[in-house]
Amino acid sequence: MLTRPSNKWLTIILIKWMGYSSFAAALVSVLVYMYKKKHYTIAPKLSSLQINTASCYNLNTQIQLLTPPPSPEPTKSWSTRLLNGVISATRKRKRLTISLKNTVLWNPSRDVNTPIHAFHENTVTLLNKLVHLYDIYVITHLNSTEERDQINRLLSKSNIDIHKILFCSTEQGKLHIIQHLKPDIHIEGGCETTDGSFIINHLDVKQKIWIKKNNATYNTDHIQLSNTIHDTWIAQC
């Protein structure tokens, strides 16, 4: 004969079910609480980081606004500009070589060993003018040491740089000096024993001026022949 379960067992089963349900609910509550706690703890930190970044940006912007711009590079003084201008002008000047005898200087003495050199009229003024226009070197053919001293005394009246006063003892030596200097213009007059044709014929420069007595003045593409230096194109510039 079947019997109904007693109320005691029903009560036990109900209590167990309620216990399991409560435990599950409590576990869910704990998980939800931990999730919310983690979420609200990270969010403020992120917000704080964003605020700090924005504050740094604003601070940097203010610093840039308050910081004066860099000072411009100081301009060069007028003396420096003048010096640079002089150097540039010197570099651009053409080089001129002058064989002094029979062009700027003349010797009335018939004895080459006892010369009495003097300047042709107005040639000191011309030399000083050319010094400002060209990079000048002057060359003199010498026959004695005494002649060197005489030439140096005469040139002390001009503005020629003493380091650009050169001497030679032969026409071949003069040609070597001129070729070494590589001038743009050369003025030749020979010496007591030559008329300068050796230099004119062997020298390769852009322009040559040949001072030669008792000859008609004429011009070609690279050479001008004249009786005096005052009748040449270089004296007219």
Side-chain angles (χ1 to χ4, degrees), residues 33-69:
Y33 172 77
M34 293 178 65
Y35 170 79
K36 289 183 177 181
K37 183 177 180 181
K38 181 178 181 181
H39 175 74
Y40 287 110
T41 302
I42 295 174
K45 288 183 179 180
L46 292 175
S47 300
S48 176
L49 178 61
Q50 293 174 354
I51 293 173
N52 291 336
T53 303
S55 300
C56 291
Y57 174 79
N58 292 333
L59 179 60
N60 290 333
T61 303
Q62 292 177 1
I63 292 174
Q64 291 176 358
L65 292 175
L66 295 176
T67 302

Coordinates of all heavy atoms in Angstrom, one line a residue, residues 33-69:
Y33 N 28.8 43.5 -7.7 CA 29.5 44.5 -6.9 C 31.0 44.7 -7.3 O 31.5 45.8 -7.4 CB 29.4 44.0 -5.4 CG 30.2 44.9 -4.5 CD1 29.8 46.2 -4.1 CD2 31.5 44.5 -4.0 CE1 30.5 47.0 -3.3 CE2 32.2 45.3 -3.2 CZ 31.8 46.5 -2.8 OH 32.5 47.3 -2.0
M34 N 31.7 43.5 -7.5 CA 33.1 43.6 -7.9 C 33.2 44.3 -9.3 O 34.2 45.1 -9.5 CB 33.7 42.2 -7.9 CG 33.8 41.6 -6.5 SD 34.5 39.9 -6.6 CE 36.1 40.3 -7.2
Y35 N 32.3 44.0 -10.2 CA 32.4 44.6 -11.5 C 32.2 46.1 -11.5 O 32.9 46.9 -12.1 CB 31.3 43.9 -12.4 CG 31.1 44.6 -13.7 CD1 32.0 44.4 -14.8 CD2 30.1 45.5 -13.9 CE1 31.9 45.0 -16.0 CE2 30.0 46.2 -15.2 CZ 30.8 45.9 -16.2 OH 30.7 46.6 -17.4
K36 N 31.2 46.5 -10.7 CA 30.9 47.9 -10.5 C 32.0 48.7 -9.9 O 32.4 49.8 -10.3 CB 29.6 48.1 -9.8 CG 28.4 47.8 -10.5 CD 27.1 48.1 -9.7 CE 25.8 47.7 -10.5 NZ 24.6 48.1 -9.8
K37 N 32.6 48.1 -8.9 CA 33.7 48.7 -8.2 C 34.9 48.9 -9.1 O 35.6 50.0 -9.1 CB 34.1 47.8 -7.0 CG 35.2 48.4 -6.1 CD 35.5 47.6 -4.9 CE 36.6 48.2 -4.1 NZ 37.0 47.4 -2.9
K38 N 35.2 47.8 -9.9 CA 36.3 48.0 -10.8 C 36.1 49.0 -11.9 O 36.9 49.8 -12.2 CB 36.6 46.6 -11.5 CG 37.7 46.6 -12.4 CD 37.9 45.2 -13.0 CE 39.1 45.2 -14.0 NZ 39.3 43.9 -14.6
H39 N 34.8 49.1 -12.4 CA 34.5 50.0 -13.4 C 34.6 51.5 -12.9 O 35.2 52.3 -13.5 CB 33.1 49.7 -13.9 CG 32.6 50.8 -14.9 ND1 33.0 50.8 -16.2 CD2 31.7 51.8 -14.7 CE1 32.4 51.8 -16.8 NE2 31.6 52.4 -16.0
Y40 N 34.1 51.8 -11.8 CA 34.1 53.1 -11.3 C 35.4 53.5 -10.7 O 35.7 54.7 -10.5 CB 33.0 53.3 -10.2 CG 31.6 53.3 -10.8 CD1 30.7 52.2 -10.6 CD2 31.2 54.4 -11.6 CE1 29.5 52.3 -11.2 CE2 29.9 54.4 -12.1 CZ 29.1 53.3 -11.9 OH 27.8 53.4 -12.5
T41 N 36.3 52.6 -10.4 CA 37.6 52.9 -10.0 C 38.5 53.3 -11.1 O 39.3 54.2 -11.0 CB 38.3 51.7 -9.2 OG1 37.4 51.3 -8.1 CG2 39.7 52.1 -8.7
I42 N 38.4 52.6 -12.3 CA 39.3 52.9 -13.4 C 38.8 54.2 -14.1 O 39.6 55.0 -14.6 CB 39.2 51.7 -14.4 CG1 39.8 50.5 -13.8 CG2 39.9 52.1 -15.8 CD1 39.7 49.2 -14.7
A43 N 37.5 54.4 -14.2 CA 37.0 55.5 -14.9 C 37.5 56.8 -14.4 O 38.0 57.7 -15.1 CB 35.5 55.5 -14.9
P44 N 37.5 57.1 -13.1 CA 38.0 58.3 -12.5 C 39.5 58.5 -12.9 O 40.0 59.6 -13.1 CB 37.8 58.2 -11.0 CG 36.7 57.3 -10.9 CD 36.8 56.3 -12.0
K45 N 40.3 57.4 -12.8 CA 41.7 57.5 -13.1 C 41.9 57.9 -14.6 O 42.7 58.8 -14.9 CB 42.4 56.1 -12.9 CG 42.5 55.7 -11.5 CD 43.3 54.4 -11.3 CE 43.4 54.1 -9.8 NZ 44.2 52.8 -9.7
L46 N 41.1 57.4 -15.5 CA 41.2 57.8 -16.9 C 40.8 59.3 -17.0 O 41.5 60.0 -17.7 CB 40.3 56.9 -17.8 CG 40.7 55.5 -17.9 CD1 39.7 54.7 -18.7 CD2 42.1 55.4 -18.6
S47 N 39.8 59.7 -16.4 CA 39.4 61.1 -16.4 C 40.4 62.0 -15.9 O 40.7 63.0 -16.4 CB 38.1 61.3 -15.6 OG 37.0 60.4 -16.2
S48 N 41.1 61.6 -14.8 CA 42.1 62.4 -14.2 C 43.3 62.5 -15.2 O 43.9 63.5 -15.3 CB 42.6 61.7 -12.9 OG 43.7 62.4 -12.4
L49 N 43.6 61.3 -15.9 CA 44.7 61.4 -16.8 C 44.4 62.3 -18.0 O 45.3 63.1 -18.4 CB 45.0 60.0 -17.3 CG 46.1 59.8 -18.4 CD1 47.4 60.3 -17.8 CD2 46.1 58.3 -18.9
Q50 N 43.2 62.3 -18.4 CA 42.8 63.2 -19.5 C 42.9 64.6 -19.1 O 43.3 65.5 -19.8 CB 41.3 62.8 -20.0 CG 41.3 61.5 -20.7 CD 39.8 61.1 -21.0 OE1 38.9 61.8 -20.6 NE2 39.6 60.0 -21.7
I51 N 42.4 64.9 -17.9 CA 42.5 66.3 -17.3 C 43.9 66.7 -17.2 O 44.3 67.9 -17.6 CB 41.8 66.3 -16.0 CG1 40.3 66.1 -16.2 CG2 42.0 67.7 -15.3 CD1 39.5 66.0 -14.9
N52 N 44.8 65.8 -16.7 CA 46.2 66.2 -16.6 C 46.9 66.5 -17.9 O 47.6 67.4 -18.1 CB 47.0 65.1 -15.8 CG 46.6 65.0 -14.4 OD1 46.1 66.0 -13.8 ND2 46.8 63.8 -13.8
T53 N 46.5 65.7 -18.9 CA 47.1 65.9 -20.3 C 46.6 67.2 -20.8 O 47.4 68.0 -21.4 CB 46.6 64.7 -21.2 OG1 47.0 63.5 -20.6 CG2 47.2 64.9 -22.6
A54 N 45.3 67.5 -20.6 CA 44.8 68.8 -21.1 C 45.5 70.0 -20.4 O 45.8 71.0 -21.0 CB 43.3 68.8 -20.9
S55 N 45.7 69.8 -19.1 CA 46.4 70.8 -18.3 C 47.8 71.1 -18.8 O 48.2 72.2 -19.0 CB 46.4 70.5 -16.8 OG 45.1 70.3 -16.4
C56 N 48.5 70.0 -19.1 CA 49.9 70.1 -19.6 C 49.9 70.8 -21.0 O 50.8 71.7 -21.2 CB 50.5 68.7 -19.7 SG 50.9 67.9 -18.1
Y57 N 48.9 70.5 -21.8 CA 48.9 71.1 -23.1 C 48.6 72.6 -23.0 O 49.3 73.4 -23.6 CB 47.8 70.5 -23.9 CG 47.5 71.2 -25.3 CD1 48.4 70.9 -26.3 CD2 46.5 72.1 -25.4 CE1 48.2 71.6 -27.6 CE2 46.3 72.7 -26.6 CZ 47.1 72.5 -27.7 OH 46.9 73.1 -28.9
N58 N 47.7 73.0 -22.1 CA 47.4 74.4 -21.9 C 48.6 75.1 -21.3 O 48.9 76.3 -21.6 CB 46.2 74.5 -20.9 CG 44.9 74.1 -21.6 OD1 44.8 74.1 -22.8 ND2 43.9 73.6 -20.8
L59 N 49.3 74.4 -20.4 CA 50.5 75.1 -19.7 C 51.5 75.3 -20.8 O 52.2 76.4 -20.8 CB 51.0 74.1 -18.6 CG 52.2 74.7 -17.9 CD1 51.9 76.0 -17.2 CD2 52.7 73.6 -16.8
N60 N 51.8 74.3 -21.6 CA 52.8 74.5 -22.7 C 52.4 75.6 -23.6 O 53.3 76.4 -24.1 CB 53.0 73.2 -23.5 CG 53.6 72.1 -22.6 OD1 54.4 72.4 -21.7 ND2 53.4 70.9 -23.0
T61 N 51.1 75.7 -23.9 CA 50.7 76.8 -24.8 C 50.9 78.1 -24.2 O 51.4 79.1 -24.9 CB 49.2 76.6 -25.1 OG1 48.9 75.3 -25.7 CG2 48.7 77.7 -26.1
Q62 N 50.6 78.3 -22.9 CA 50.8 79.5 -22.2 C 52.3 79.9 -22.2 O 52.7 81.0 -22.4 CB 50.3 79.4 -20.8 CG 48.8 79.3 -20.7 CD 48.2 79.2 -19.3 OE1 49.0 79.2 -18.4 NE2 46.9 79.1 -19.2
I63 N 53.2 78.9 -22.0 CA 54.6 79.1 -21.9 C 55.1 79.6 -23.3 O 55.9 80.6 -23.3 CB 55.4 77.8 -21.5 CG1 55.1 77.5 -20.0 CG2 56.9 78.0 -21.7 CD1 55.7 76.2 -19.6
Q64 N 54.6 79.0 -24.3 CA 55.0 79.5 -25.7 C 54.6 80.9 -25.9 O 55.3 81.7 -26.6 CB 54.4 78.5 -26.7 CG 55.0 77.1 -26.7 CD 54.4 76.2 -27.7 OE1 53.4 76.6 -28.4 NE2 54.9 75.0 -27.8
L65 N 53.3 81.2 -25.5 CA 52.8 82.6 -25.7 C 53.6 83.6 -24.9 O 53.8 84.7 -25.3 CB 51.4 82.7 -25.3 CG 50.4 81.9 -26.2 CD1 49.0 81.9 -25.6 CD2 50.4 82.5 -27.6
L66 N 54.1 83.2 -23.7 CA 54.8 84.1 -22.8 C 56.3 84.2 -23.2 O 57.0 85.1 -22.7 CB 54.6 83.7 -21.3 CG 53.2 83.8 -20.8 CD1 53.2 83.3 -19.4 CD2 52.7 85.3 -20.8
T67 N 56.8 83.2 -23.9 CA 58.2 83.2 -24.2 C 58.5 84.1 -25.4 O 57.9 83.9 -26.5 CB 58.7 81.8 -24.6 OG1 58.4 80.9 -23.4 CG2 60.2 81.8 -24.9
P68 N 59.4 85.1 -25.3 CA 59.7 86.0 -26.4 C 60.3 85.2 -27.5 O 61.0 84.3 -27.3 CB 60.6 87.0 -25.8 CG 61.3 86.3 -24.7 CD 60.2 85.4 -24.1
P69 N 60.1 85.7 -28.8 CA 60.7 85.0 -29.9 C 62.2 85.2 -29.9 O 62.7 86.1 -29.3 CB 60.1 85.8 -31.1 CG 59.7 87.1 -30.6 CD 59.3 86.8 -29.2

